Amino acid sequence: MNVKNYPDFFNNVFGPIMQPGSSTHTAGPARMGYMCNSLLGEEDEVSEILAIMDPDGSFCGTFGMMTEDLGILTGALGHLPDWEFLFEAKEVCEEKGVKFNFSFSDMKESTHPNAIKFVLKGKSGRVVSLVANSTGGGMIETVIVNDYPFHSIGESFVICVFDKEDKLEGSELERSMIEKFDIYAHDISRAESKGKMLWFRTSYNPDKKEIKNVVGDLEFSVMYPVLPVVTRREKKEQLFNTVEGMRKLAESQNKRMSEIAIEYEMNSSCWSREDVIEYMEKTVAATMHRRTHAIYEEEMESFYRPYLTDYYKMYEEFRVNKGNDLLAGPTIGLAYKYLLGGKPFVPGLLYVPGPQGSGGGYVYAALSAVKEIHGYSNEDLLRGLFVAAAVGSTAYSNCDPTAEAIGCAGDAGMVCSFIAAGLTEMMGGTPKQVEWACSLALQSFIGIVCDYFPGGDENPCQSRMFVAVGMGIVFSELATVGINPVIPFHEVVDTAASVGSKIPSDLRCTARGGLCLTPTALKLKNLNQIALEELEKSKNK
């Protein structure tokens, strides 16, 4: 039985919960490395790590500046991106005697700009490999496992049985595995001169002793899931894949959009309504709240990174001094306070990307500010987060909403859409107004390039996120007033994807075009690299 996967709120939209860094450049590589490490198994500790990336890919232009290196090592050591020692991954490798090497050479196994080939050697001498792509928002997809073609997004446990000499009758093993384990999908993958790999997906962690009893002397591995919502056999069909579809369901059933959104997640996760709400409140929203508020309320220091300024102190002082004279107004002013509060690199202060870096925190910054200034309840805020997640699920259903794929419409544009829709629901807007709000928001970001330049104090990303947060609030109000965007959100998503795919690759998060080519940016890139090298030297003394 094959279960069809589709975007999940806690997998694709608000996730992963991680240490500071980039969801695509830090969390994605960590998850990929983790899956490769699981091929070795707990009984074999890694001794050598090799990560191969394409010199024309997106990782090359920003390597080390978006903590790609630390993400790679974290995963290869067997940890997910919330690992408390992520920022000390190199030191951990040195302490454990683990050799590591980052190589930039042609990646023939994958054409994706965010592809990495991991080759890990265990202390037993066993070598395993995995080729995977970081597809945005921390999501990944495997391409090759130990030279065998295989696709997975880390949504289940996968039992891989390697019949290298092609001795075994596949159907015989399949019957035995299905009898012993709760298998919901299985197939065979072949590699030239390496026989076949039989793989089996299950929702539950299988007993390796039981596997051994079934496969005998054949080599096998169990790849572990990296997603919080593991695919279940009982998973229902996708409730909707456009905001228009969600709106029609809400109108026909006389329900709020947030109720339809909760039903969507129940269908996807097979969790109870109570469990879905609890995870959003106690895990996702709680992490977002601490990320955006803790720097003001707790004793903590940010992690030093060259050419990054903690503006939150300056802006908060300015905001307090200006008071009612703040041009941005009290609501947007408070949202910007929380936006800046969520930016500092503080090891241990986890956050939720969803999408783009601190995207979940940007969404929460806006919703939290409106809640505080205008007296909405925690329940209202949760309803807004559910609708924001639902809008995200429809975007992920119809395109690859990442800067590498469609430019900044996939980052700032999506953040703005989530905010506009979530706020409209939070403030009691109608389903049609919710749909209008996210359409208005995304229309304003179509065709914007992603030209983040290393050493640029997070510009121009930072300026575009100010636009996303401020205008998300504005677009919500405009939709409530009755401003009609005319074009449905799913058509705007299609257009953003089509236009974005035509943007030259140098202008899609590779640090090779746009503002990256200005004399100042080129100079800063060199200075930033020197500063990072000096930082590494000082840490090694």
Side-chain angles (χ1 to χ4, degrees):
M1 173 187 176
N2 285 312
V3 180
K4 185 178 180 181
N5 277 300
Y6 49 81
D8 180 274
F9 293 179
F10 305 133
N11 290 346
N12 303 77
V13 187
F14 287 148
I17 293 175
M18 59 178 287
Q19 291 282 354
S22 164
S23 55
T24 301
H25 287 243
T26 310
R31 284 176 156 181
M32 293 147 70
Y34 176 87
M35 289 185 73
C36 190
N37 179 279
S38 68
L39 291 170
L40 277 178
E42 303 93 335
E43 62 278 1
D44 193 3
E45 193 172 348
V46 64
S47 63
E48 294 182 23
I49 300 168
L50 171 62
I52 303 170
M53 293 154 279
D54 197 297
D56 293 326
S58 69
F59 292 138
C60 184
T62 63
F63 194 75
M65 302 170 197
M66 296 178 74
T67 56
E68 296 93 342
D69 50 349
L70 303 182
I72 287 170
L73 296 180
T74 290
L77 288 169
H79 304 284
L80 289 170
D82 62 350
W83 186 40
E84 61 180 322
F85 299 112
L86 184 145
F87 291 103
E88 300 163 37
K90 291 182 179 179
E91 290 83 348
V92 172
C93 284
E94 290 170 6
E95 290 172 7
K96 290 178 172 289
V98 178
K99 300 177 182 178
F100 59 87
N101 182 35
F102 307 113
S103 173
F104 292 94
S105 56
D106 290 343
M107 273 287 294
K108 297 179 181 179
E109 295 93 339
S110 174
T111 59
H112 196 284
N114 299 334
I116 302 178
K117 179 176 182 178
F118 285 84
V119 181
L120 305 185
K121 183 177 182 180
K123 290 188 175 179
S124 68
R126 185 185 182 195
V127 177
V128 296
S129 65
L130 178 142
V131 179
N133 307 322
S134 179
T135 56
M139 294 296 289
I140 66 169
E141 59 179 6
T142 63
V143 178
I144 298 173
V145 170
N146 282 356
D147 297 324
Y148 300 93
F150 178 70
H151 182 270
S152 171
I153 58 172
E155 76 281 20
S156 63
F157 294 90
V158 182
I159 304 170
C160 301
V161 182
F162 305 103
D163 184 11
K164 297 178 181 179
E165 297 180 7
D166 216 359
K167 292 181 177 179
L168 192 68
E169 173 59 43
S171 57
E172 179 184 324
L173 178 60
E174 288 167 9
R175 284 193 297 270
S176 299
M177 293 294 286
I178 292 170
E179 286 177 8
K180 291 283 185 180
F181 307 99
D182 187 18
I183 304 300
Y184 71 81
H186 60 88
D187 208 339
I188 296 174
S189 176
R190 293 187 176 276
E192 188 174 352
S193 302
K194 285 202 171 185
K196 61 180 177 286
M197 176 182 80
L198 301 95
W199 57 261
F200 306 86
R201 297 187 196 274
T202 175
S203 305
Y204 307 98
N205 192 357
D207 187 322
K208 289 188 176 181
K209 291 182 180 178
E210 287 292 325
I211 299 174
K212 179 68 175 175
N213 290 336
V214 173
V215 303
D217 293 334
L218 290 178
E219 182 183 336
F220 72 91
S221 294
V222 177
M223 285 199 297
Y224 298 125
V226 298
L227 300 177
V229 177
V230 175
T231 299
R232 304 291 185 197
R233 180 191 298 277
E234 301 81 14
K235 188 182 183 83
K236 295 181 181 178
E237 291 293 319
Q238 187 173 12
L239 191 60
F240 54 81
N241 60 13
T242 65
V243 176
E244 181 182 57
M246 177 170 64
R247 188 254 302 165
K248 288 181 177 178
L249 282 172
E251 290 175 340
S252 66
Q253 298 177 29
N254 195 28
K255 293 180 179 178
R256 298 213 60 83
M257 292 280 261
S258 51
E259 282 301 315
I260 302 299
I262 291 170
E263 290 175 17
Y264 176 106
E265 183 57 33
M266 290 169 62
N267 283 2
S268 175
S269 64
C270 303
W271 297 354
S272 68
R273 186 177 190 277
E274 292 73 20
D275 287 343
V276 167
I277 294 173
E278 182 178 19
Y279 190 86
M280 180 68 87
E281 179 181 16
K282 300 292 179 62
T283 302
V284 175
T287 302
M288 290 178 177
H289 184 88
R290 185 163 184 258
R291 173 69 178 176
T292 52
H293 289 62
I295 202 75
Y296 303 106
E297 300 170 358
E298 302 177 28
E299 292 290 331
M300 57 179 54
E301 293 184 6
S302 61
F303 181 75
Y304 170 72
R305 300 284 289 177
Y307 301 100
L308 285 179
T309 306
D310 288 339
Y311 288 108
Y312 71 92
K313 296 177 183 177
M314 295 179 238
Y315 187 79
E316 175 60 357
E317 183 178 346
F318 172 79
R319 195 181 72 88
V320 171
N321 290 338
K322 281 290 185 179
N324 292 331
D325 293 329
L326 192 70
L327 292 179
T331 304
I332 293 179
L334 186 58
Y336 284 166
K337 168 185 174 176
Y338 293 143
L339 179 160
L340 289 169
K343 292 178 73 65
F345 268 63
V346 182
L349 184 56
L350 301 176
Y351 76 97
V352 185
Q356 198 272 348
S358 297
Y362 300 144
V363 174
Y364 192 89
L367 271 62
S368 181
V370 171
K371 170 185 174 292
E372 291 181 34
I373 296 294
H374 299 280
Y376 290 96
S377 67
N378 288 330
E379 289 72 22
D380 294 327
L381 188 147
L382 282 176
R383 288 194 298 105
L385 286 176
F386 271 113
V387 166
V391 170
S393 74
T394 69
Y396 280 94
S397 294
N398 294 285
C399 76
D400 181 4
T402 65
E404 292 87 348
I406 67 173
C408 208
D411 283 351
M414 291 299 166
V415 166
C416 191
S417 299
F418 296 1
I419 290 170
L423 283 178
T424 305
E425 169 70 15
M426 179 176 159
M427 297 187 295
T430 66
K432 184 172 287 292
Q433 289 168 346
V434 170
E435 185 179 13
W436 284 358
C438 54
S439 179
L440 285 169
L442 188 57
Q443 286 185 36
S444 64
F445 282 89
I446 292 174
I448 296 180
V449 304
C450 177
D451 49 354
Y452 167 83
F453 55 95
D457 215 359
E458 294 194 340
N459 288 303
C461 305
Q462 183 168 248
S463 60
R464 290 169 189 160
M465 281 303 157
F466 278 115
V467 174
V469 170
M471 290 308 298
I473 295 171
V474 172
F475 283 130
S476 173
E477 196 156 64
L478 292 176
T480 305
V481 167
I483 304 297
N484 188 342
V486 181
I487 310 296
F489 182 70
H490 62 275
E491 293 184 18
V492 181
V493 170
D494 290 344
T495 303
S498 175
V499 172
S501 67
K502 296 180 177 66
I503 296 173
S505 60
D506 284 358
L507 295 170
R508 284 185 275 142
C509 199
T510 56
R512 294 198 302 259
L515 291 172
C516 303
L517 297 182
T518 61
T520 298
L522 292 172
K523 179 181 178 181
L524 284 170
K525 181 178 180 179
N526 291 331
L527 290 173
N528 184 75
Q529 188 61 50
I530 293 171
L532 283 172
E533 290 171 0
E534 290 298 321
L535 180 62
E536 285 296 316
K537 290 178 183 177
S538 67
K539 288 166 63 178
N540 292 330
K541 287 183 179 179

